[in-house]
Amino acid sequence: MGSRKDAVVQTKQGVPEYDEIAVPDLDEETKTIYGFTPSSAGGTGLHTFYQWKDWNHLVCMRQIEIYQANQSETVRMSVRDRVAGELAEIYHEDFPSGSGGWLDAQMVWHDLDYHGEPGGLYDLFQQQPIDDTHDAFLVSTGGRLGTLLVTAELAMENKNEFGTRDITFSVWDPAEMEQPIQTFSEEFMMGVAPEFHHAADANFDGFQDFGYLYCAGNQPNYWHWWLWDEEQGQFEYYAPLTEVSQPVFDAERQVVTGWARNSAASGVHTIYRWLNGELTLLRRIEKHYPTDDNTQLATVEDLIDGQMVVVYRKEWDLTTIKEGTPLVDWNWYDLDYHGEAR
């Protein structure tokens, strides 16, 4: 990466992304912050490459992960690049575990201007039209087909007076581009834009899925989601996720959370889990509109015997509450918490 020197960026203290970089090194020439977390003495581990965007936003531009594949005699080098706003695997290569071949092979990828040889996955993505009626992005399924290319085309005509239009998605296997392996359409209010797609393991099954924004207000925003079915080798539409505003998928806690704001002082937090393959609402936390000029109401509902039941209710006098005091105890955002013992 050229000349490096140790860098502790004093002006960037408190930036969570910076804190995640293992032993950060600064390359002044490329303005790149590099980190490496080893997993063994053989050079396996995770290489990360960050750059500042818009002066105050630290973004991971590339990951090179080198790991023992499936407890076999193979070491895999996986390269994930930021493509269309998200990290996606654009290249992988396998090596015999005793060869050490990954030590040299990874070095070409330390140059962030290098994205693989012509005809590779990144090159294929670059060929796709992205404009007011077209979008394209990559989904690293993690399955036998690996990373797939998804293209989106917005219909030219509105379906109704609300401006609803269809978007047709085509799913392509980069190894066989003669025709898509899957095509499907849904209704959208928002059109297409690079920031409207999102890839994530929405149901925590180890395979990456994707969503596309279809409706948004001042804060609440709703998405169509398609879940990857590894057995069928295709994406399956999952309608219940359209009910979750601004969904966040927390694999560590195995929860899906939503947030829909009604006003500056009110809104609804929802917490879901996947139970028997279905997304299930387990807790609903609502901060209600003030019931009068000086009173705020907060309630918590839990799923009990198949029904949502109020398990906490509190009113606050807004003339006496201290600024910054939460209307609902933060413990309620943990599904293992069920109130103080009486």
Side-chain angles (χ1 to χ4, degrees):
M1 288 182 57
S3 175
R4 288 185 184 145
K5 67 178 183 179
D6 292 339
V8 178
V9 184
Q10 301 293 340
T11 58
K12 305 304 181 184
Q13 289 181 346
V15 177
E17 294 82 1
Y18 191 86
D19 295 338
E20 294 174 0
I21 304 174
V23 193
D25 271 357
L26 175 66
D27 186 323
E28 291 189 322
E29 182 179 352
T30 63
K31 307 299 182 186
T32 300
I33 302 172
Y34 163 83
F36 176 60
T37 304
S39 60
S40 76
T44 59
L46 178 65
H47 303 260
T48 57
F49 303 80
Y50 285 78
Q51 290 181 333
W52 291 99
K53 300 295 181 184
D54 301 323
W55 299 102
N56 60 356
H57 186 39
L58 190 59
V59 177
C60 184
M61 303 302 296
R62 175 170 293 169
Q63 293 178 343
I64 305 173
E65 186 175 10
I66 303 171
Y67 59 95
Q68 199 82 28
N70 300 323
Q71 299 180 342
S72 67
E73 295 300 316
T74 299
V75 170
R76 169 160 292 192
M77 180 181 72
S78 170
V79 181
R80 297 170 65 87
D81 259 10
R82 186 159 294 277
V83 180
E86 297 189 312
L87 287 173
E89 185 181 73
I90 64 167
Y91 181 81
H92 69 259
E93 185 174 354
D94 293 334
F95 303 87
S97 59
S99 70
W102 57 89
L103 296 173
D104 291 331
Q106 51 132 338
M107 293 308 299
V108 66
W109 293 96
H110 283 234
D111 178 1
L112 293 186
D113 291 329
Y114 178 76
H115 300 282
E117 296 302 311
L121 189 55
Y122 186 87
D123 191 31
L124 177 64
F125 168 79
Q126 292 293 100
Q127 298 172 24
Q128 306 307 313
I130 297 178
D131 52 36
D132 291 342
T133 57
H134 297 85
D135 193 13
F137 51 96
L138 302 176
V139 181
S140 303
T141 66
R144 65 183 184 276
L145 294 183
T147 299
L148 300 176
L149 170 69
V150 180
T151 59
E153 184 172 2
L154 181 67
M156 299 302 295
E157 296 184 1
N158 292 343
K159 298 185 70 174
N160 52 42
E161 66 273 21
F162 302 109
T164 301
R165 286 195 271 178
D166 281 342
I167 295 179
T168 298
F169 296 90
S170 297
V171 181
W172 305 82
D173 180 354
E176 182 56 68
M177 290 292 293
E178 289 189 6
Q179 62 181 15
I181 61 175
Q182 192 178 4
T183 301
F184 45 84
S185 299
E186 280 294 337
E187 292 184 351
F188 288 80
M189 295 288 292
M190 301 299 296
V192 296
E195 65 271 22
F196 288 174
H197 64 259
H198 181 51
D201 183 1
N203 57 351
F204 313 128
D205 65 350
F207 301 104
Q208 199 169 55
D209 317 299
F210 82 89
Y212 212 90
L213 179 69
Y214 78 88
C215 180
N218 186 30
Q219 177 278 322
N221 53 84
Y222 298 91
W223 301 65
H224 289 303
W225 275 89
W226 289 265
L227 308 181
W228 178 252
D229 186 323
E230 175 66 4
E231 183 177 348
Q232 299 297 323
Q234 63 182 19
F235 291 102
E236 297 287 345
Y237 182 65
Y238 192 74
L241 270 168
T242 63
E243 301 174 6
V244 185
S245 171
Q246 194 174 303
V248 175
F249 306 98
D250 187 336
E252 182 177 351
R253 296 192 300 142
Q254 293 285 292
V255 297
V256 180
T257 60
W259 163 240
R261 189 184 70 185
N262 294 325
S263 72
S266 63
V268 179
H269 290 272
T270 48
I271 306 176
Y272 301 78
R273 275 212 170 112
W274 293 91
L275 301 178
N276 299 318
E278 296 296 331
L279 188 67
T280 305
L281 177 63
L282 296 183
R283 180 163 292 168
R284 186 177 187 272
I285 303 170
E286 183 169 5
K287 303 167 189 177
H288 301 258
Y289 284 106
T291 55
D292 56 42
D293 290 341
N294 296 317
T295 303
Q296 182 84 35
L297 174 65
T299 58
V300 178
E301 297 173 77
D302 273 359
L303 181 66
I304 300 176
D305 295 331
Q307 295 185 336
M308 298 303 294
V309 178
V310 175
V311 295
Y312 172 88
R313 184 181 188 277
K314 188 166 185 177
E315 293 185 358
W316 296 82
D317 185 343
L318 298 181
T319 63
T320 60
I321 187 173
K322 293 182 179 180
E323 184 177 355
T325 301
L327 296 177
V328 178
D329 190 322
W330 287 110
N331 287 325
W332 284 106
Y333 293 86
D334 179 355
L335 288 178
D336 291 329
Y337 178 79
H338 298 283
E340 297 296 330
R342 295 181 178 179

